[in-house]
Amino acid sequence: MVPLSWYILLGVVLFVIGAAGVLLRRNILVVLMSLELLLNSVNINFIAFGRIYNDFRGQIFAIFVIAITAAEVAVALGILVALVRNKSTLKVDDVTMMKG
Amino acid sequence: MDQGFFLLFATVSVITALTVVLARNPVHCALALMACFLQISAIFVLLEAPLLAVIQIFVYVGAIMVLFLFVIMMIDVREAKLQRFLPGGNLPALVMLVLLGIEMSVLVLWSDRFSVTVPVGGGDEIRQLSTTLFAGYLLPFEVASVILLVALVGAIVLARKEQG
């Protein structure tokens, strides 16, 4: 059987890759996709721990994470479409209109 | 047997996740992310969470990725496609990421509590899961539905064209 630490290590690797995408890429679309990657690695951890300790709360919280992610993506892509319509840029560094 | 399947799915998911970060064209990123989500849903099957695997495929691959591809097609990606990914572009963030990865790996490998193997569980798990979800977690469930409704309305308002 697969030990728990393998699942946690897979979560670590996916989390670091997603964080690298969020911090190092300058394209807003890729940043959003990397956010999805981060949330998925968290989901793997939730379900693995829930499986080990025979607790359903891991799966339930994974369901909530997926639902909130769907809401987040809908709002973020709406903001993105409005942004591209107004400023016609996709780079994170160019979006400074909320800077004081 | 299980370990072989896990290693296969984990390797493919890590490779596709790296493709998401490293690819230049956002369309390639979206397709690689779709492949990564499929591998993760296979890992959910290995973890005996079949309901979560189905939800993963429906919500992520079916809805979210189609939304991403739709937005990529709608806006112009030609200008964004040209910029390269520079690994040394943001050095403090890179150092912080390496430190984060090393720290988490060391903590996982150091501790004895993560070395347990998976116990055998009883059957009829989806019934128990849904009972727990709709009995003990009814209020968060309703809050999540309200949040989804708010996000729906907000996305429509944001993406609507300004009229006068």
Side-chain angles (χ1 to χ4, degrees):
Chain A
M1 299 300 271
V2 188
L4 174 62
S5 59
W6 290 18
Y7 291 109
I8 310 297
L9 281 178
L10 176 66
V12 167
V13 171
L14 287 181
F15 191 89
V16 170
I17 293 173
V22 171
L23 290 176
L24 299 179
R25 285 300 295 255
R26 296 272 69 92
N27 192 336
I28 298 178
L29 277 166
V30 184
V31 168
L32 283 176
M33 291 181 206
S34 305
L35 271 177
E36 306 295 310
L37 217 52
L38 287 176
L39 291 161
N40 261 283
S41 76
V42 173
N43 269 350
I44 291 176
N45 277 5
F46 270 138
I47 295 176
F49 276 114
R51 174 84 201 291
I52 290 296
Y53 294 112
N54 267 329
D55 200 335
F56 288 112
R57 282 176 287 185
Q59 294 192 32
I60 287 169
F61 276 93
I63 289 175
F64 285 141
V65 167
I66 289 177
I68 301 304
T69 306
E72 172 246 328
V73 165
V75 175
L77 289 179
I79 292 175
L80 186 64
V81 169
L83 178 81
V84 170
R85 190 172 289 147
N86 283 326
K87 289 202 68 165
S88 81
T89 180
L90 270 181
K91 289 162 108 177
V92 177
D93 298 328
D94 292 346
V95 188
T96 54
M97 63 178 90
M98 288 183 77
K99 211 172 183 176
Chain B
M1 190 67 182
D2 271 356
Q3 296 190 355
F5 273 123
F6 175 81
L7 286 178
L8 177 67
F9 295 141
T11 314
V12 178
S13 69
V14 168
I15 290 172
T16 47
L18 280 175
T19 313
V20 172
V21 177
L22 294 177
R24 289 168 65 185
N25 196 336
V27 180
H28 296 168
C29 292
L31 292 176
L33 193 61
M34 196 182 290
C36 187
F37 285 161
L38 283 174
Q39 306 304 315
I40 289 174
S41 99
I43 285 173
F44 288 172
V45 172
L46 279 186
L47 279 168
E48 291 187 3
L51 182 70
L52 260 298
V54 171
I55 289 177
Q56 173 95 1
I57 290 181
F58 280 178
V59 175
Y60 275 114
V61 183
I64 293 181
M65 294 318 297
V66 168
L67 200 59
F68 262 112
L69 283 176
F70 182 69
V71 170
I72 291 173
M73 304 288 173
M74 207 162 75
I75 61 183
D76 194 14
V77 294
R78 270 175 302 173
E79 179 248 353
K81 195 167 71 173
L82 293 177
Q83 39 178 302
R84 293 191 69 105
F85 170 72
L86 294 175
N90 195 349
L91 202 59
L94 198 64
V95 171
M96 203 200 75
L97 282 172
V98 172
L99 282 181
L100 179 72
I102 290 174
E103 180 199 355
M104 289 200 288
S105 314
V106 165
L107 284 180
V108 170
L109 291 175
W110 200 12
S111 168
D112 293 334
R113 302 188 57 166
F114 296 134
S115 59
V116 284
T117 49
V118 176
V120 279
D124 208 11
E125 287 186 340
I126 293 181
R127 184 184 299 271
Q128 294 177 39
L129 172 68
S130 49
T131 307
T132 317
L133 177 61
F134 290 119
Y137 287 84
L138 187 61
L139 181 65
F141 186 80
E142 298 292 340
V143 171
S145 62
V146 172
I147 289 175
L148 278 173
L149 179 67
V150 170
L152 182 73
V153 176
I156 292 173
V157 169
L158 280 170
R160 194 186 52 179
K161 274 212 173 84
E162 297 286 331
Q163 37 188 347

